[in-house]
Amino acid sequence: MTLSLITIVRNHAAGFRRTARSVLDHAPDNAEWVVIDGASTDGTGAAIAAVAPRIATHVSEPDRGIADAFNKGVARASGDYVLFLNAGDCLAPGAAFSLARLLDTHRGAPVIVGRIELAGRRHGRSAPFWRQYLHNQLPHQAMLIRRDLFATFGTYDRTRHFGMDYEWSLRLCPVWRQIVFVNELLTIMEPGGTSIANAGKTLTAYHHARVQHFGMAPLSLAVLLSYQAKRLALRPFKPALNAVRARRLAPG
């Protein structure tokens, strides 16, 4: 089984350099690397050029947002599986061995889901579909997605600015029981991503995706309101929680 790593970037030269270093150090030697740059103007082009020999395919042009960039990556990938590694996100140490072994052990699985680390906490574990309906359980940057699924279920919805990966995951309901979940750290995710920085809009996007696929608008609205209430209740404690996490991540 072959693997395509897809990195999308726009005006994030420092993040791309971190991602590039992790690909050079921790990606399987035979993994294809596809880089989609949204016509950056901040020096990202120079960062890409510095690692050009490792890149299989590279495009730099304006796009219509994250979903459009994802789709451009899928269209240019040739691997049996794809893994989205956005600029700023890094492969975990040991990922080269883990990725090669997982693809060999679980060849043919529609999706192989590992774990990500974000701000010192690990995310991603086995979940039934009803939990995915309630809230996104899939760490997108630790999902090995069989590339032919995009022909079966379609590509990411370019009209969505938030939650496009969640909406796409809901299409996997017919094959959910075939998804393989593994307790292995594959990716270290950069804090402050689009979905995290826009948590309220992301939760609303999840609601619209649930209604689009399953109807039951009152039930989905109840789910949305419960998560919004939880965010509101935790807001006063967020500085203390962030301080605890910062101490946990501090060297030594």
Side-chain angles (χ1 to χ4, degrees):
M1 294 285 100
T2 54
L3 175 65
S4 295
L5 301 171
I6 299 175
T7 296
I8 68 168
V9 59
R10 185 174 186 276
N11 291 335
H12 194 10
F16 179 82
R17 292 189 186 97
R18 290 193 296 274
T19 301
R21 174 50 55 190
S22 81
V23 171
L24 295 175
D25 290 346
H26 304 305
D29 292 337
N30 62 348
E32 172 188 63
W33 190 19
V34 177
V35 176
I36 307 298
D37 173 33
S40 294
T41 58
D42 71 333
T44 295
I48 293 171
V51 291
R54 182 62 178 86
I55 299 172
T57 304
H58 161 233
V59 62
S60 180
E61 62 186 20
D63 56 50
R64 294 174 55 184
I66 294 173
D68 189 29
F70 283 161
N71 292 342
K72 288 182 179 182
V74 171
R76 289 163 174 79
S78 64
D80 298 305
Y81 286 80
V82 301
L83 171 65
F84 292 95
L85 191 69
N86 301 336
D89 300 329
C90 298
L91 293 173
F97 174 78
S98 296
L99 291 169
R101 182 174 49 77
L102 290 173
L103 290 173
D104 183 62
T105 303
H106 303 291
R107 57 178 57 222
V111 185
I112 305 167
V113 183
R115 306 194 76 188
I116 62 169
E117 182 177 295
L118 173 63
R121 300 177 65 190
R122 294 191 177 185
H123 304 267
R125 61 188 60 189
S126 179
F129 186 78
W130 67 264
R131 286 191 62 198
Q132 182 68 8
Y133 172 87
L134 295 177
H135 195 70
N136 193 10
Q137 306 294 318
L138 300 184
H140 195 237
Q141 293 90 333
M143 293 172 58
L144 301 171
I145 303 170
R146 205 174 68 209
R147 186 167 57 89
D148 65 3
L149 292 186
F150 293 102
T152 302
F153 296 109
T155 54
Y156 296 93
D157 185 349
R158 294 189 305 176
T159 68
R160 294 180 177 275
H161 299 291
F162 303 98
M164 66 289 296
D165 55 326
Y166 175 74
E167 185 277 321
W168 189 84
S169 77
L170 296 181
R171 307 180 205 175
L172 297 178
C173 182
V175 298
W176 193 267
R177 292 179 180 273
Q178 301 171 42
I179 293 176
V180 174
F181 292 85
V182 296
N183 187 27
E184 294 196 39
L185 179 65
L186 299 181
T187 308
I188 300 171
M189 182 177 172
E190 181 179 52
T194 299
S195 60
I196 297 173
N198 298 275
K201 293 179 180 178
T202 299
L203 290 174
T204 300
Y206 288 0
H207 164 62
H208 293 315
R210 289 190 295 265
V211 174
Q212 173 187 335
H213 286 280
F214 304 106
M216 300 185 294
L219 173 60
S220 180
L221 182 60
V223 172
L224 170 63
L225 293 176
S226 69
Y227 276 100
Q228 288 177 332
K230 180 180 177 181
R231 286 186 64 238
L232 188 62
L234 289 176
R235 184 174 297 170
F237 305 100
K238 197 165 185 179
L241 291 172
N242 289 339
V244 170
R245 290 169 185 169
R247 286 197 297 271
R248 185 186 304 160
L249 293 173

